Amino acid sequence: MTHILIVDDEQRMLDLIELYLLPYGYQTTKVRSGAKALEVVKTTPFDLVILDIMMKEMDGFETCQRLRTFSDVPVLMLTAKDQKKDVIKGLKTGADDYVTKPFDEDILLARVETLLRRNAPSAMEVNGLRWDESTYELSYQDYAIALTPKEFRLIGLLLKRPNHVYDRHDLLDLVWGFESDTGGRTVDSHVRNIREKIRRSGFPVDDHLKTVWGVGYKWMK
């Protein structure tokens, strides 16, 4: 079972994050200080650390910096909305990714899944359509489907959570990132390109990649 350490000095936030993670089979440990986090990581193997920046005594930056002196466990930082300087500082101190608060449950779960996959590249196959993260390739019955990096990430997100509706804002955040000023129409054009490229391979993409009008997109099993 994947074991995730949650570090935040607010009990309400610890409980909320745990509430999001438990239904997906993750084991969680919660601590309320950076010092305690460093202590437990030295004695317990974790697959991921979710670390809040704004904590008293030892903040998330210092905690992450100290953690990196003895552990390479992936770190997902929680930062205030629109604080670009915090994102940059966090990444420079050793964080692997970030989520801005207040965050959406789906965004948090997607970030968690992405970080966990980095250490264990995965591949998926749906009726002959194969998405392989280790080789960055999409293919259908030995036909290679050439995608741009963002197209590849976008279709991967949809494939990994079949029947789940991603709205355009979620996809922008997950694929283009926090700093992007790209609009929702860019998502639409990328989905249109993905459909056309997969369609050329002979795979019945229109039976699976569905538009949810006024919201976004989903992949139907």
Side-chain angles (χ1 to χ4, degrees):
M1 182 180 291
T2 301
H3 195 179
I4 298 177
L5 175 64
I6 310 169
V7 189
D8 199 303
D9 58 2
E10 293 185 26
Q11 189 64 45
R12 180 187 61 83
M13 185 60 67
L14 288 172
D15 294 341
L16 178 63
I17 296 172
E18 182 180 57
L19 183 67
Y20 289 159
L21 296 174
L22 290 180
Y24 293 90
Y26 296 118
Q27 177 185 354
T28 61
T29 294
K30 300 180 291 183
V31 298
R32 296 187 60 177
S33 72
K36 185 62 177 178
L38 296 173
E39 179 184 327
V40 298
V41 170
K42 288 178 179 178
T43 59
T44 306
F46 290 98
D47 299 289
L48 176 69
V49 175
I50 297 177
L51 176 64
D52 185 45
I53 288 179
M54 300 301 294
M55 294 189 296
K56 298 174 182 177
E57 297 181 7
M58 187 188 301
D59 64 19
F61 300 126
E62 184 179 352
T63 302
C64 187
Q65 196 167 33
R66 293 192 183 190
L67 179 67
R68 282 292 173 254
T69 64
F70 63 88
S71 174
D72 60 358
V73 61
V75 174
L76 178 64
M77 271 195 166
L78 305 180
T79 180
K81 190 68 173 175
D82 296 330
Q83 292 298 309
K84 181 178 177 180
K85 67 180 189 305
D86 284 351
V87 171
I88 295 171
K89 185 176 180 180
L91 295 174
K92 285 184 176 180
T93 56
D96 297 274
D97 205 350
Y98 59 89
V99 172
T100 58
K101 296 193 296 185
F103 51 79
D104 180 86
E105 175 184 357
D106 294 328
I107 293 292
L108 176 68
L109 290 169
R111 296 290 198 201
V112 166
E113 291 167 4
T114 297
L115 281 181
L116 292 172
R117 285 197 311 271
R118 286 182 186 174
N119 287 349
S122 61
M124 297 176 294
E125 189 165 328
V126 180
N127 299 330
L129 182 70
R130 181 176 176 80
W131 183 92
D132 193 333
E133 190 173 27
S134 64
T135 60
Y136 232 68
E137 294 177 346
L138 183 72
S139 61
Y140 176 59
Q141 296 181 347
D142 297 327
Y143 178 94
I145 302 168
L147 299 178
T148 67
K150 285 185 170 54
E151 289 169 354
F152 183 83
R153 290 179 62 191
L154 200 160
I155 190 64
L157 283 171
L158 296 170
L159 286 168
K160 285 165 189 168
R161 298 190 71 185
N163 302 322
H164 175 80
V165 178
Y166 282 98
D167 70 37
R168 289 173 176 83
H169 296 296
D170 287 349
L171 291 172
L172 280 171
D173 189 25
L174 290 167
V175 177
W176 278 265
F178 172 71
E179 301 173 31
S180 174
D181 56 1
T182 301
R185 292 192 180 277
T186 298
V187 176
D188 297 337
S189 66
H190 277 68
V191 170
R192 186 165 54 249
N193 291 340
I194 290 169
R195 282 191 176 122
E196 180 58 32
K197 290 176 178 181
I198 296 178
R199 199 178 289 128
R200 288 183 207 140
S201 73
F203 181 82
V205 65
D206 298 306
D207 294 338
H208 298 277
L209 182 47
K210 299 291 187 179
T211 300
V212 181
W213 297 107
V215 183
Y217 300 94
K218 66 178 177 178
W219 183 272
M220 296 286 292
K221 281 186 175 179

